[in-house]
Amino acid sequence: MTAATQYETLFRRVGSNPILSASDWPYPVHTVFNAGATTLPDGTTLLLCRVEDRTGLSHLCAARSKDGIGGWIIDRQPTLSSDPENHPEELWGVEDPRITFVPDLGRYAIAYTAFGKGGPGVSLALTEDFITFERCGLVMQPDDKDAALLPRRIDGMYALVHRPIADSGAHVWISYSPDLRSWGGHRMMLQARRGGWWDANKVGLSPPLIETERGWLMLYHGVRSNAAGSLYRLGVALFDRNDPAELLLRGDEWIFGPEEPYETKGDVANVTFPCGYTIGPDGDTLNLYYGAADTCIALATGSIREILDWLDRHSS
Ligand code: BMA
C-alpha cells in the first residue's frame, strides 16, 4: 500500500503560534490581528498591528522584535489612532495596514482601511520612524480596502493596488498617481473567479506585492462563501514587472488556509489574513504575518523560489 499523496506545503507555521495575542498587550484590548510588517534598518522586525478594543473599533499599534518571532516590545499606547475631527472618514476606526518602504520618499507608506459613515475606504500615511505620521487622507473612496503601494514608480508614477467593490463584484485593481494625492489610470488586475472556485466570491491583495526577477508576485486572499459563512484562504498570481496590471500566471488552488485551532476558532472563524511579510537575509525566505480568525497574529514561512516553481506547475 502506498501512502496517500499530500498537497505541497508552501508555508510552514512556526511552533510558537500564535506569536501575538491580546494577552500580550500592555493595555486592555480585545483582539490583535491583520498586521503590516517591515524590517527596520537595524534589522528589527516591526509589526503594525490592528487592535480592537471593547468599543469594537480598531486602532494601530506597533510591536518590535529582534528575531521577528518572539520578545516583542509593544508600544504602551496606540501608535496610530483614528482622527475623526480632521478625518471624518476614520470615525469608526482604522484597520488592516500594509507597509511599503519607498526609497524615493525615504519613508514608509502605510495604506490602511479608514472606516467611516461612507463605508471602508483607503487612506495613506507616511512615516520615517513609526512615531510621527503625515496623513495623506482618503485616496480611494468607499467601498475600497486591501491596499498597498508599490515600492517604486512605474513609468514615473506611484502605483497603488486596492480592492474596490462594484456591482460586478470584489476584484483587485491598480491605480497610478504622480504625487500620492491624485489617482487615475485605473485598471483591473485580478478578478474573483465566480462559480464554485475557492476564490469565487471576493479577492483582495493580502501583503504588498513582492518584486522578483520574474515579475510582481501577489499573495491574495480569496473568499468562498458557503452555508457556514466565509472561508479566507491565500492564493498566488504573478504580474509583469514593467506593467503590473498585466497578469502572467495565476495559481488554480489555494496555497494556505485555516487549519489550526487558532485559525478556525475566534471572533471570525476560518480566517487566515496576511497583511505583511519580511524577507530573510538569504533574499528568498518569506516570513508571512497573518491575522488568524480576527483574533490573534501568527507567522508562517515560505520560499519565494518554491512559490514561483509551484506557480509554473499549477496555473491555468
Ligand atoms: C475582511 C476585512 C478583514 C477581516 C476579514 C475577515 O473583509 O475586514 O479585516 O479580517 O474580512 O473578517
Side-chain angles (χ1 to χ4, degrees):
M1 214 167 73
T2 54
T5 308
Q6 298 292 319
Y7 287 106
E8 282 168 68
T9 304
L10 289 177
F11 285 102
R12 295 154 205 90
R13 293 166 175 85
V14 300
S16 51
N17 271 346
I19 56 162
L20 281 167
S21 306
S23 58
D24 298 313
W25 242 249
Y27 55 92
V29 303
H30 171 58
T31 47
V32 298
F33 53 114
N34 301 0
T38 195
T39 307
L40 299 175
D42 69 356
T44 300
T45 298
L46 179 140
L47 296 185
L48 193 59
C49 310
R50 172 174 172 188
V51 175
E52 196 180 297
D53 60 26
R54 285 198 182 177
T55 63
L57 311 187
S58 295
H59 62 264
L60 309 182
C61 184
R64 294 167 175 84
S65 156
K66 288 240 171 315
D67 66 3
I69 305 175
W72 294 95
I73 297 171
I74 301 167
D75 281 0
R76 303 204 68 78
Q77 57 213 14
T79 309
L80 186 65
S81 294
S82 59
D83 176 15
E85 258 176 47
N86 296 307
H87 292 278
E89 70 276 7
E90 297 180 357
L91 181 66
W92 294 329
V94 292
E95 307 177 350
D96 300 358
R98 274 90 169 175
I99 303 170
T100 307
F101 183 70
V102 186
D104 91 15
L105 295 170
R107 290 196 277 177
Y108 301 88
I110 303 161
Y112 59 94
T113 303
F115 190 20
K117 286 183 179 163
V122 175
S123 283
L124 273 183
L126 304 175
T127 186
E128 257 173 66
D129 51 12
F130 293 91
I131 297 169
T132 54
F133 299 87
E134 180 195 334
R135 286 174 199 255
C136 307
L138 200 65
V139 293
M140 294 291 159
Q141 79 268 36
D143 266 5
D144 205 331
K145 51 167 68 171
D146 302 326
L149 199 69
L150 266 57
R152 63 174 176 86
R153 296 177 189 235
I154 304 289
D155 288 335
M157 304 285 259
Y158 293 109
L160 185 82
V161 179
H162 57 111
R163 205 286 303 281
I165 292 194
D167 285 347
S168 66
H171 317 298
V172 180
W173 287 68
I174 189 164
S175 303
Y176 294 92
S177 170
D179 56 7
L180 297 179
R181 263 66 179 184
S182 325
W183 293 88
H186 316 290
R187 280 177 68 189
M188 187 152 70
M189 291 181 84
L190 193 80
Q191 267 186 285
R193 255 187 281 221
R194 304 189 186 160
W197 286 89
W198 66 272
D199 53 359
N201 300 100
K202 284 180 183 178
V203 290
L205 179 72
S206 269
L209 296 187
I210 303 161
E211 190 164 19
T212 75
E213 277 175 13
R214 295 191 47 198
W216 296 97
L217 193 62
M218 177 194 282
L219 298 176
Y220 69 93
H221 56 269
V223 183
R224 166 103 184 256
S225 303
N226 62 18
S230 294
L231 279 154
Y232 279 74
R233 294 182 283 218
L234 199 67
V236 60
L238 188 70
F239 297 83
D240 188 273
R241 220 169 160 184
N242 300 316
D243 179 6
E246 201 55 45
L247 175 65
L248 304 176
L249 295 169
R250 179 180 191 170
D252 289 334
E253 301 170 359
W254 72 84
I255 57 170
F256 188 74
E259 287 171 16
E260 296 295 326
Y262 53 87
E263 298 162 349
T264 56
K265 290 192 194 75
D267 267 11
V268 185
N270 295 317
V271 177
T272 46
F273 201 91
C275 288
Y277 63 81
T278 60
I279 294 180
D282 61 3
D284 183 59
T285 302
L286 198 61
N287 303 308
L288 191 67
Y289 293 92
Y290 62 100
D294 283 13
T295 298
C296 56
I297 296 171
L299 167 63
T301 62
S303 147
I304 296 172
R305 187 181 36 78
E306 280 177 25
I307 295 169
L308 287 168
D309 285 352
W310 180 91
L311 200 46
D312 282 328
R313 289 179 280 113
H314 292 85
S315 59
S316 43

